[in-house]
Amino acid sequence: MPRSYDPHAIEEKWQADWEATGIYSVTEDVDKPKKYVLEMFPYPSGDIHMGHVRNYSIGDVVARYFTMRGMSVLHPIGWDAFGLPAENAAIKSNSHPGKWTYANIEKQAASFKRMGFSYDWDRTVKTCDPDYYRWGQWSFLKFWERGLVERKSSPVNWCPSCKTVLANEQVLGDGTCWRCKSVVTKRELEQWFLKITDYAQELLDDLDELPGWPDRVKAMQANWIGRSEGAEVDFALCDESGEPCDETITVFTTRPDTLFGCSFFLLAPEHPLVKQFVVGTQYEAAVMDVVKSAEMESAIDRSSADKERAGAFTGRYVVNPVNGEKVPVWVSDYVLMEYGTGAVMAVPSGDQRDFDFARKYDLPIPPVVVAEDDELFGQLSGVRERVLADVPWDIAFAGDGVMVQSGEFTGMRGGKASEGMKAVTEWLAERGQGRFNINFRLRDWLISRQRYWGNPIPAVHCPACGLVPVPEDQLPVMLPMDVDVTKGETLADHPEFYETTCPTCGGAARRETDTMDTFTCSSWYYLRYCDARNDDAIWDPTKTDYWMPVDQYIGGIEHAILHLLYSRFFTKVYRDMGLVSFAEPFTNLLTQGMVKLDGATMSKSRGNVVAPEEIIAKYGADTLRAYILFMAPPDKDLEWNNDGLDGMWRFLGRAWRYIAEVAEEAAAGVSGAAAAGDSASKSLRSERHRVVGKVSDDIERFQFNTALSAMMELVNAAYDYRRAMPAGTRDVVLERDVAETLTLLLSPYVPHMAEELWREILGHETSVHLESWPAWDPSAAVSDEIEYAVQVNGKVRAHLTVAADAPTDDVQAAALALEKVVEHTTGKTVRKVVVVPGKLISIVVG
RNA sequence: GCCCGGGUGGCGGAAUUGGCAGACGCGUCGGUCUCAAACACCGAUGGUGGCAACAUCGUGCGGGUUCGAUUCCCGCCCCGGGCACCA
């Protein structure tokens, strides 16, 4: 009896062997095509969960496959090691975030090694190592030199639970913190920003250069960047009589074609002019009510769409530049200070929000763009002057139509990007009262954090010189390790840290005590992997030029905007600095689905966790790897279910047994035929070639589940062959080939089992992971007989087996002569016969 | 409201270019082995009718194109995700 499959006896043995022989270390090899396969690096929480198992198993199969296809494959791993969970854990366990983090990295690295992933561990980065974060600080200084760093005061997102500010991208759709789910509030604070908006247009345009990204992710990024084309329009402030004063207020609008319908003007409650306008006037009380209640409201309430809009008249007016009309200036909470200019021209006939506001406060709603099928069209078509001051409509009309009551523009097409929009904007531009403009929803990236466990911002506040960058030769600004977070301390509580001298004037100065958003650390780690141990530069460009861009990036959909947008931004800045020669870091992106249990994401707090360690203890790492890939295609969410594990275990056992039996028979000298011509041998041979082709193709399109199905089919066919052919009559060369081929096909999925089979059972000297991918001959995959399905009036009535090279006419004649076909065609006229070569014959009768 | 996905047996899923729907696996049922169980192996398994051959229905719903539609077109329903007082 051949030895049976025992993962526990082999897995750790081979892990030690691979580590000792360093078979997964790579260097630049100019003689081979390169592939950079990367999975998003993990936060070192200490435990490995099913999401990790899935993510890293996918990457491992891809990396091993490309290696076997003769490519030079970079497949690194590292740790996104700064961040709040370390501080929270340290507080809980009365420890230090660093101690906790480094211990977790050890533990988690051991788990990853236990899974048998093929990483080049020599390239590991830990973002909390000074050797790493100094280059993050260096990047910050370079960004600063390029004018991409700004310290400014603005209303920012504050998470009361994390006790720090958040970037816009880090606030979820429901107004909660992405990490802790607390409700985020707004605070006016002075903070550090990276000017990602300088790259808004390019970040949007270059999405078209990424055919290897899922449309979903590109749509989400485009949505987030939120480009709108329109115009700026200047409105002059005027006095009660309508006489313009010197001051103007500019608005952004996507509909300058509706300017003739502007019947009031709005300012955001936070707009600086509001107080100036109303202080000491009869309007002050009502206006300040609106301002105060807007301040009180949470971000969620404020943005609730069906909320009653509050407003008040300021007592002031502006002049509409197209018709000289005096327009009242109101304040309303539906105008946002953060978007556009914080001021809006209200056109109630063309905008539902303005319409509702006008009805509530009894303001006029003159129509200016009407649809041809609207009852007003007949009445107003061609009418230049305003004859109708209020529409009979119940809702605004925001669609495309014809301009009316619009002076010289009357009769033009109105709507977004319309003839009228362009004509009005040009008219304004000629007079210096407006211009074409583009607005983005994307805001600058707020990167300062009022927390300890992060990368210190390399800046000094000097009372004489202002903000001064830390000189490059003084990097890194070391994060002190004696901060006691259990007492709630941050860098701002450490005089030894912040008391310093100004690098410029030498006078007493205060070091910046904010740290950088951890997303800055993860925005360039994939570049550092190319040259991870470089102490003289962030990387050697010849190395990034060899490895980059990442050919296949794999990670969770939750980073569709966050990490992926930030990394694209960083790459473009490095390109402008001349440090890299490409504009996009990730050529192909696979967003892996979540692993769920009972319909919810697995999490400790929810208590619905299946620990990978338990599965490994029972079945070994190989079964777990293969099973999680077999359960579903990688981009779909996956509902975890232990029930199928036995099936994968059975399959691996069957494959093992087959290979071991073949090897044992050969060792025992059982002889048989070679290059046998019987139909069973031919059929197994063609199945072998078909399956190699199918598995190759499936891996390249990430269909790991169907690749495994195909291997199961090969094993089934191999057993069928053994059953059909008595010992001594089998083609032993073919069987040996099937056994070796199967081992090679399995090796990216179950690397330990394949290694044991290859070296100990099949008797090879060197690792299976240094072997080439098996060759396959598409022509050998075709059998010499083909079965046709024969349809009569669209229903399959019979099957017909003919020689593969039979002429179409013969096939058709044979099909028509079939008994079952005759049954369904007698007494009817054959009207048409369609023969799809190699597949089916469709007979139409009537 | 706008923009993306998705809806196929009891379950996970397959069908790559319009060509035999349900590959492969789980589960279930029946059998072999066994004193028995476990393991393993063999067979059956979309629904309905039928002893069977077979017939018939069937990929969210309703239409359409086609010899032929899970696949393409039109109109809906449901589920998931993103964006949203964005001017």
Side-chain angles (χ1 to χ4, degrees):
Chain A
M1 267 295 275
R3 181 157 65 89
S4 63
Y5 174 48
D6 179 7
H8 306 294
I10 62 175
E11 291 191 345
E12 296 185 60
K13 174 181 79 177
W14 290 121
Q15 284 153 18
D17 178 87
W18 298 332
E19 191 157 349
T21 52
I23 61 167
Y24 302 125
S25 294
V26 287
T27 50
E28 300 76 36
D29 180 347
V30 290
D31 297 328
K32 283 187 190 171
K34 70 91 186 179
K35 284 275 179 189
Y36 188 171
V37 178
L38 181 66
E39 302 103 56
M40 289 179 186
F41 69 166
Y43 179 79
S45 56
D47 21 63
I48 177 170
H49 56 71
M50 283 300 176
H52 290 129
V53 169
R54 192 178 193 198
N55 193 188
Y56 301 118
S57 294
I58 292 167
D60 202 45
V61 169
V62 174
R64 288 177 182 277
Y65 172 75
F66 284 136
T67 303
M68 292 178 86
R69 293 304 299 265
M71 302 189 189
S72 165
V73 175
L74 177 58
H75 188 218
I77 188 75
W79 309 97
D80 189 11
F82 272 137
L84 255 184
E87 288 191 43
N88 296 337
I91 293 165
K92 236 188 215 164
S93 60
N94 201 26
S95 171
H96 186 276
K99 205 177 151 196
W100 182 87
T101 302
Y102 281 103
N104 279 354
I105 289 175
E106 286 297 303
K107 194 172 156 214
Q108 211 164 331
S111 295
F112 281 21
K113 287 180 180 170
R114 185 63 190 83
M115 285 299 297
F117 298 135
S118 61
Y119 296 124
D120 182 351
W121 288 94
D122 301 339
R123 294 172 182 268
T124 299
V125 300
K126 301 166 190 164
T127 61
C128 62
D129 277 351
D131 288 348
Y132 183 85
Y133 69 68
R134 71 173 285 198
W135 297 112
Q137 293 177 8
W138 180 85
S139 297
F140 178 89
L141 294 178
K142 294 291 157 189
F143 277 47
W144 200 347
E145 278 172 27
R146 305 185 68 81
L148 294 169
V149 171
E150 192 177 21
R151 192 171 159 85
K152 67 183 176 190
S153 182
S154 77
V156 295
N157 307 299
W158 173 265
C159 174
S161 160
C162 297
K163 295 191 178 61
T164 185
V165 296
L166 296 171
N168 278 8
E169 290 79 13
Q170 292 154 27
V171 180
L172 303 180
D174 61 357
T176 60
C177 169
W178 74 289
R179 197 190 288 283
C180 73
K181 308 284 184 280
S182 314
V183 173
V184 170
T185 58
K186 286 275 178 188
R187 279 193 184 182
E188 181 76 28
L189 289 171
E190 193 175 293
Q191 296 290 318
W192 292 92
F193 291 84
L194 293 184
K195 291 170 81 177
I196 191 171
T197 54
D198 281 12
Y199 286 80
Q201 187 68 55
E202 202 194 343
L203 286 166
L204 180 66
D205 290 344
D206 284 0
L207 290 173
D208 293 337
E209 311 295 318
L210 296 171
W213 280 40
D215 290 339
R216 179 158 71 125
V217 174
K218 288 188 278 187
M220 281 164 75
Q221 291 213 358
N223 228 332
W224 185 260
I225 294 167
R227 182 182 195 272
S228 335
E229 253 175 70
E232 280 181 354
V233 183
D234 303 332
F235 283 73
L237 272 169
C238 68
D239 59 24
E240 195 72 29
S241 70
E243 198 56 38
C245 336
D246 290 341
E247 211 171 341
T248 63
I249 312 179
T250 302
V251 299
F252 173 75
T253 176
T254 54
R255 295 294 303 278
D257 55 301
T258 63
L259 197 43
F260 286 82
C262 172
S263 57
F264 54 99
F265 191 94
L266 292 165
L267 294 176
E270 301 85 357
H271 200 287
L273 287 175
V274 170
K275 273 182 195 143
Q276 192 185 314
F277 285 178
V278 299
V279 169
T281 70
Q282 64 185 105
Y283 305 105
E284 180 173 4
V287 166
M288 291 317 287
D289 266 359
V290 174
V291 172
K292 291 232 170 65
S293 69
E295 271 170 15
M296 302 289 287
E297 264 177 335
S298 71
I300 317 171
D301 292 343
R302 175 85 185 266
S303 65
S304 152
D306 26 56
K307 201 195 69 152
E308 183 83 353
R309 313 177 191 316
F313 178 48
T314 63
R316 299 292 293 267
Y317 295 86
V318 289
V319 179
N320 186 335
V322 287
N323 56 12
E325 258 179 19
K326 196 176 80 170
V327 179
V329 178
W330 287 61
V331 169
S332 178
D333 56 359
Y334 77 90
V335 180
L336 308 174
M337 195 60 218
E338 303 93 81
Y339 186 78
T341 61
V344 173
M345 62 176 237
V347 181
S349 62
D351 182 290
Q352 193 56 43
R353 292 158 296 163
D354 298 344
F355 187 96
D356 294 343
F357 192 85
R359 283 281 187 257
K360 181 174 178 188
Y361 294 103
D362 208 17
L363 294 155
I365 308 180
V368 282
V369 173
V370 295
E372 276 107 324
D373 59 2
D374 193 282
E375 53 187 275
L376 286 181
F377 183 74
Q379 183 192 340
L380 295 174
S381 176
V383 176
R384 290 171 152 239
E385 301 307 315
R386 184 174 302 157
V387 296
L388 184 67
D390 210 302
V391 292
W393 304 335
D394 296 323
I395 53 162
F397 175 67
D400 294 349
V402 176
M403 291 171 71
V404 299
Q405 305 196 117
S406 297
E408 64 181 270
F409 304 100
T410 302
M412 285 185 175
R413 300 291 313 173
K416 287 209 165 166
S418 63
E419 174 198 8
M421 177 263 179
K422 290 186 187 85
V424 173
T425 309
E426 272 159 22
W427 188 93
L428 289 166
E430 279 163 22
R431 284 154 188 79
Q433 291 176 309
R435 59 215 66 87
F436 286 100
N437 194 29
I438 289 155
N439 230 287
F440 292 94
R441 207 188 77 92
L442 181 70
R443 304 287 85 200
D444 278 333
W445 176 11
L446 197 177
I447 57 151
S448 40
R449 296 290 179 272
Q450 292 71 44
R451 298 299 301 220
Y452 160 69
W453 191 236
N455 190 2
I457 292 176
V460 170
H461 301 260
C462 172
C465 312
L467 277 178
V468 180
V470 172
E472 248 180 71
D473 59 13
Q474 291 175 26
L475 297 186
V477 173
M478 291 292 289
L479 184 69
M481 295 308 274
D482 57 352
V483 171
D484 190 351
V485 293
T486 64
K487 293 187 185 132
E489 287 180 0
T490 68
L491 295 179
D493 300 308
H494 264 241
E496 341 40 299
F497 177 78
Y498 64 70
E499 281 173 0
T500 187
T501 52
C502 171
T504 307
C505 69
R510 184 187 166 90
R511 192 180 287 290
E512 172 62 56
T513 55
D514 280 357
T515 52
M516 281 186 242
D517 183 2
T518 55
F519 280 101
T520 61
C521 302
S522 54
S523 292
W524 57 281
Y525 76 104
Y526 47 90
L527 291 157
R528 182 69 179 174
Y529 279 149
C530 298
D531 196 11
R533 303 277 87 88
N534 194 331
D535 286 332
D536 304 319
I538 187 166
W539 56 74
D540 173 354
T542 59
K543 301 216 162 143
T544 46
D545 279 351
Y546 177 82
W547 290 115
M548 287 291 295
V550 173
D551 295 279
Q552 187 60 55
Y553 200 28
I554 304 157
I557 185 71
E558 66 274 16
H559 288 291
I561 295 171
L562 293 159
H563 162 64
L564 290 167
L565 187 68
Y566 296 147
S567 296
R568 295 181 62 221
F569 165 53
F570 262 59
T571 298
K572 288 173 194 306
V573 178
Y574 288 133
R575 176 208 55 198
D576 289 346
M577 286 163 56
L579 273 172
V580 300
S581 54
F582 41 86
E584 287 291 338
F586 314 124
T587 307
N588 295 292
L589 173 68
L590 176 66
T591 48
Q592 143 233 356
M594 288 185 292
V595 182
K596 300 183 159 190
L597 192 64
D598 309 322
T601 315
M602 286 191 194
S603 76
K604 267 199 223 159
S605 58
R606 214 179 269 112
N608 62 335
V609 176
V610 177
E613 287 90 345
E614 288 170 23
I615 311 289
I616 295 171
K618 190 167 172 199
Y619 297 92
D622 280 342
T623 300
L624 174 59
R625 292 168 54 117
Y627 179 57
I628 205 163
L629 293 172
F630 182 67
M631 286 180 88
D635 54 325
K636 283 179 90 178
D637 283 355
L638 177 156
E639 175 68 28
W640 182 265
N641 183 354
N642 276 327
D643 295 346
L645 272 163
D646 286 327
M648 184 52 67
W649 170 257
R650 266 197 289 271
F651 163 66
L652 294 177
R654 260 164 74 76
W656 173 285
R657 210 173 314 117
Y658 172 75
I659 294 160
E661 278 175 21
V662 168
E664 190 171 75
E665 282 173 13
V670 175
S671 63
D678 61 279
S679 74
S681 300
K682 278 171 136 180
S683 149
L684 177 60
R685 197 174 296 119
S686 98
E687 181 69 354
R688 177 258 182 236
H689 284 273
R690 183 191 72 85
V691 167
V692 176
K694 167 91 177 143
V695 171
S696 311
D697 192 30
D698 281 352
I699 292 177
E700 282 175 36
R701 42 185 205 114
F702 308 121
Q703 298 283 338
F704 309 107
N705 53 337
T706 51
L708 280 159
S709 295
M711 290 183 239
M712 290 171 180
E713 286 169 329
L714 181 57
V715 170
N716 291 345
Y719 274 105
D720 288 347
Y721 180 72
R722 286 177 79 73
R723 239 192 319 277
M725 305 280 282
T729 66
R730 296 176 199 139
D731 184 336
V732 291
V733 176
L734 172 63
E735 286 212 294
R736 172 81 190 184
D737 176 45
V738 170
E740 297 212 330
T741 301
L742 190 58
T743 306
L744 293 168
L745 294 181
L746 282 167
S747 67
Y749 295 82
V750 289
H752 313 89
M753 175 179 142
E755 187 77 308
E756 181 75 9
L757 286 168
W758 191 253
R759 283 158 88 164
E760 302 300 330
I761 305 292
L762 293 167
H764 292 278
E765 293 292 314
T766 52
S767 173
V768 69
H769 303 298
L770 301 172
E771 290 298 318
S772 292
W773 191 247
W776 76 100
D777 176 359
S779 64
V782 181
S783 59
D784 27 335
E785 285 192 327
I786 294 176
E787 191 186 52
Y788 278 83
V790 185
Q791 294 184 338
V792 180
N793 283 355
K795 288 199 168 115
V796 178
R797 296 297 182 180
H799 288 95
L800 174 67
T801 303
V802 294
D805 54 0
T808 305
D809 287 352
D810 294 5
V811 174
Q812 181 170 333
L816 285 165
L818 287 170
E819 195 187 328
K820 291 297 299 181
V821 173
V822 172
E823 222 171 88
H824 285 95
T825 52
T826 330
K828 291 167 185 160
T829 316
V830 174
R831 302 206 182 273
K832 191 172 180 181
V833 180
V834 181
V835 179
V836 181
K839 293 221 165 118
L840 112 176
I841 301 140
S842 180
I843 300 162
V844 190
V845 299

